[in-house]
């Protein structure tokens, strides 16, 4: 039977999980952690194999608070055809072709507008003043919700995340999700009625326009998943890239000189600190991982944050290094639930926002790097980034 490690606390994981994962990879790569209520899987080979085998490791976990928080069983908690049907309905809005043809020009305009309004020569918080609002605006555009404010989108996203992680059943968190669900439902209905000029290309538009559309409740829950899972990650990854580049001057000089390196800078940032650090899967029949028995019904947590630092793949995985030899990573997941927003995120951050920022402000500075705080167990990134644009 699997070993248990009760020395690990949630607080430690939220503050800095990486030393814990390093120890677990070496000593107990398959281990139950009572503080989390899951069996943690920390080696890259295992996390990948689990996600690639949905028959044995199902996404359908009836015991998570996600269904209560979203008011629906979302595509992330479905398997097989049931999952694919809902996924395929929304995917065309974020395909590489659609991102290139339709969204690139709009996103460039948003980036310009949001960079223009940043103060020059005085300190500001890049996380709160750019990363969050920029992510919210781009995602609102692609989803087809132009009337939702940046503040609303960010609040809805955070409230859904808090609700989906509300294992303790705190009533206030579900009251917040109920309120946010009502507001999102109104906003979605309003956007369908108003149909702005990009509606037909948007996630809402592609789902409602097909000849044989999925049911309205699924359209709504797909949009909510993209709000809950599409704001924090671009926000956290662009903040992480900036931290990585500004604390490594030779890498920063390299991207300024060769902007095509921004793609590497972005991929390395999500490898280094995965914005979604963990994903859960329920075991459908008795099995073994790394020779350790796991009974049917148990929930394993694949820790992609740990997989991305695995010594078997990466040398000095704890360092930010855009020139590292092995660049593949699991930050966007694996298998049938592979992130739907991958191309969109790359375009928003690596192709548009970073080159624009560094082109205008090649000498921007991170003041007091030691003041930057990193937080999060499920989702992780810096929660502040004091910058001066020069
Ligand atoms: C750097 C940015 C991002 C990262 C690192 C990221 C990461 C991930 C990961 C790891 C998963 C898989 C979770 C699992 O296996 O259980 C996922 C799924 C998903 N992501 Fe992202 N994400 C990012 C941005 C976005 C954006 C911008 C959107 C949309 C606006 C988005 C939409 C989705 C959706 C809809 C799914 C569920 C796919 C499915 O279940 O079939 N993501 N993401």
């Amino acid at each position: 039977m699997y070993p248990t490690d009760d020395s690990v606390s949630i607080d430690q994981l939220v503050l800095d999980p990486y030393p814990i994962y390093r120890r677990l990879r070496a000593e107990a790569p398959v281990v139950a952690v009572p503080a989390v209520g899951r069996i943690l899987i920390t080696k890259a080979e295992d996390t990948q194999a689990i996600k690639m085998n949905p028959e044995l490791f199902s996404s359908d976990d009836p015991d998570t608070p996600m269904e209560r928080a979203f008011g629906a069983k979302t595509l992330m908690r479905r398997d097989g055809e049931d999952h694919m049907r809902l996924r395929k309905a929304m995917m065309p809005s974020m395909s590489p072709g659609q991102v290139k043809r339709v969204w690139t020009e709009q996103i460039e305009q948003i980036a310009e507008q949001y960079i223009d309004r940043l103060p020059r020569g005085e300190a500001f918080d890049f996380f709160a003043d750019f990363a969050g609002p920029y992510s919210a605006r781009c995602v609102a555009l692609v989803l087809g919700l132009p009337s939702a404010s940046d503040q609303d989108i960010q609040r809805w996203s955070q409230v859904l995340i808090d609700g989906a992680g509300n294992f303790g059943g705190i009533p206030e968190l579900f009251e917040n999700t109920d309120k946010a669900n009502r507001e999102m439902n109104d906003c979605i209905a309003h956007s369908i009625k108003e149909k702005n000029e990009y509606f037909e290309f948007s996630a809402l538009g592609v789902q409602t326009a097909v000849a044989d559309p999925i049911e309205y409740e699924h359209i709504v829950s797909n949009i909510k998943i993209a709000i809950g899972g599409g704001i924090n990650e671009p926000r956290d990854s662009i903040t992480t890239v900036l931290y990585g580049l500004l604390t490594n001057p030779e890498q920063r000089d390299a991207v300024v000189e060769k902007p095509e390196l921004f793609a590497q800078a972005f991929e390395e940032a999500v490898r280094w600190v995965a914005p979604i650090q963990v994903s859960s899967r329920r075991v459908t029949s008795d099995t073994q991982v790394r020779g350790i028995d796991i009974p049917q019904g148990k929930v394993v947590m694949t820790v992609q944050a740990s997989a991305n630092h695995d010594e078997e793949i990466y040398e000095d995985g704890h360092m930010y290094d855009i020139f590292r030899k092995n660049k593949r990573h699991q930050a966007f997941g694996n298998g049938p639930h592979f992130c739907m927003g991958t191309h969109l995120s790359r375009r928003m951050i690596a192709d548009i926002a970073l080159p624009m920022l560094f082109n205008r402000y090649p000498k921007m500075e991170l003041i007091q790097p030691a003041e930057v705080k990193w937080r999060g167990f499920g989702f992780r990134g810096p929660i502040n980034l004091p910058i001066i644009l020069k």
Side-chain angles (χ1 to χ4, degrees), residues 51 76 83 87 225 229-230 233 237 276 281 331 337 339 345:
K51 288 201 166 176
M76 284 190 83
H83 160 247
R87 181 176 165 98
I225 267 295
E233 300 81 354
S237 54
I276 298 186
R281 298 291 189 265
H337 291 271
C339 175
S345 307

Side-chain angles (χ1 to χ4, degrees), residues 10-289:
I10 288 279
D11 286 350
Q12 289 170 335
L13 290 169
V14 168
L15 279 179
D16 185 7
Y18 285 103
I20 298 173
Y21 296 150
R22 184 166 55 230
R23 176 174 66 75
L24 294 183
R25 282 194 302 277
E27 293 172 5
V30 179
V31 65
V33 173
V36 179
R38 300 273 187 274
I39 299 169
L40 261 53
I41 310 286
T42 46
K43 292 286 285 177
E45 194 186 338
D46 303 335
T47 55
Q48 179 167 17
I50 287 173
K51 288 201 166 176
M52 299 299 282
N53 187 352
E55 288 81 26
L56 188 53
F57 298 97
S58 165
S59 289
D60 183 3
D61 179 2
D63 295 332
T64 78
M66 190 174 189
E67 199 161 328
R68 169 68 183 83
F70 280 73
K73 183 172 168 178
T74 71
L75 84 165
M76 284 190 83
R77 290 277 162 254
R78 291 171 188 264
D79 299 316
E81 259 312 298
D82 192 23
H83 160 247
M84 252 328 141
R85 183 171 164 263
L86 304 191
R87 181 176 165 98
K88 279 187 186 153
M90 182 159 73
M91 232 161 60
S93 63
M94 301 176 204
S95 69
Q98 192 90 316
V99 169
K100 191 170 167 205
R101 276 192 307 275
V102 184
W103 303 128
T104 295
E105 201 185 323
Q106 307 308 312
I107 294 174
E108 280 169 353
Q109 284 174 15
I110 296 172
E112 251 188 81
Q113 188 192 341
Y114 281 43
I115 291 173
D116 273 351
R117 68 185 196 192
L118 294 173
R120 281 104 178 127
E122 62 180 87
F124 69 96
D125 183 5
F126 181 84
F127 174 84
D129 296 340
F130 181 82
Y134 176 65
S135 302
R137 203 68 259 133
C138 294
V139 172
L141 169 79
V142 173
L143 295 187
L145 306 174
S147 65
S149 71
D150 296 350
Q151 290 80 359
D152 281 342
I153 293 265
Q154 290 178 86
R155 177 171 53 84
W156 293 337
S157 177
Q158 194 56 52
V159 161
L160 286 173
I161 288 170
D162 293 343
N166 187 15
F167 286 90
I170 300 167
E172 192 195 332
L173 297 185
F174 288 139
E175 283 158 24
N176 293 343
T177 54
D178 289 347
K179 177 170 178 277
N181 275 313
R182 284 194 298 273
E183 292 172 5
M184 285 184 281
N185 292 344
D186 288 349
C187 177
I188 290 168
H190 173 80
S191 304
I192 291 177
K193 200 163 141 236
E194 292 295 308
K195 290 193 181 35
N196 81 333
E197 59 180 309
Y198 301 105
F199 182 79
E200 63 177 299
F201 308 107
S202 71
L204 207 44
V206 298
Q207 292 187 92
T208 46
V210 288
D212 179 20
I214 58 172
E215 300 73 13
Y216 186 72
E217 60 178 293
H218 295 316
I219 295 176
V220 170
S221 73
N222 273 356
I223 295 290
K224 289 178 184 173
I225 267 295
I227 294 175
I231 306 293
N232 281 19
E233 300 81 354
R235 177 197 70 191
D236 296 349
S237 54
I238 191 170
T239 313
T240 300
V241 192
L242 218 55
Y243 180 93
L245 291 175
L246 297 182
T247 52
N248 290 282
E250 69 301 344
Q251 297 184 46
R252 163 227 185 98
D253 292 348
V255 293
V256 169
E257 199 170 308
K258 274 174 104 182
E260 60 271 27
L261 290 176
F262 280 118
Q264 268 170 243
F266 171 68
E267 297 301 323
E268 172 63 358
V270 295
R271 181 208 63 83
W272 187 45
V273 182
I276 298 186
Q277 299 242 301
V278 297
S279 308
S280 291
R281 298 291 189 265
R282 189 176 48 82
V283 176
T284 57
S285 57
D286 293 354
T287 188
Q288 287 195 331
V289 176

Side-chain angles (χ1 to χ4, degrees), residues 311-369:
E311 298 68 15
E312 272 183 51
I313 302 177
Y314 310 102
E315 206 175 301
D316 293 328
H318 62 290
M319 310 282 283
Y320 179 79
D321 176 7
I322 64 171
F323 300 113
R324 70 172 53 254
K325 265 204 285 321
N326 199 337
K327 296 184 174 57
R328 74 197 158 100
H329 61 74
Q330 298 185 31
F332 290 110
N334 290 294
H337 291 271
F338 185 80
C339 175
M340 209 187 279
T342 307
H343 293 291
L344 177 61
S345 307
R346 288 179 175 148
R347 188 54 61 111
M348 282 164 58
I349 297 168
D351 299 343
I352 297 178
L354 288 172
M356 208 181 273
L357 270 165
F358 277 93
N359 182 36
R360 288 205 201 170
Y361 303 108
K363 294 194 185 334
M364 82 178 102
E365 254 178 45
L366 168 61
I367 48 170
Q368 299 173 317

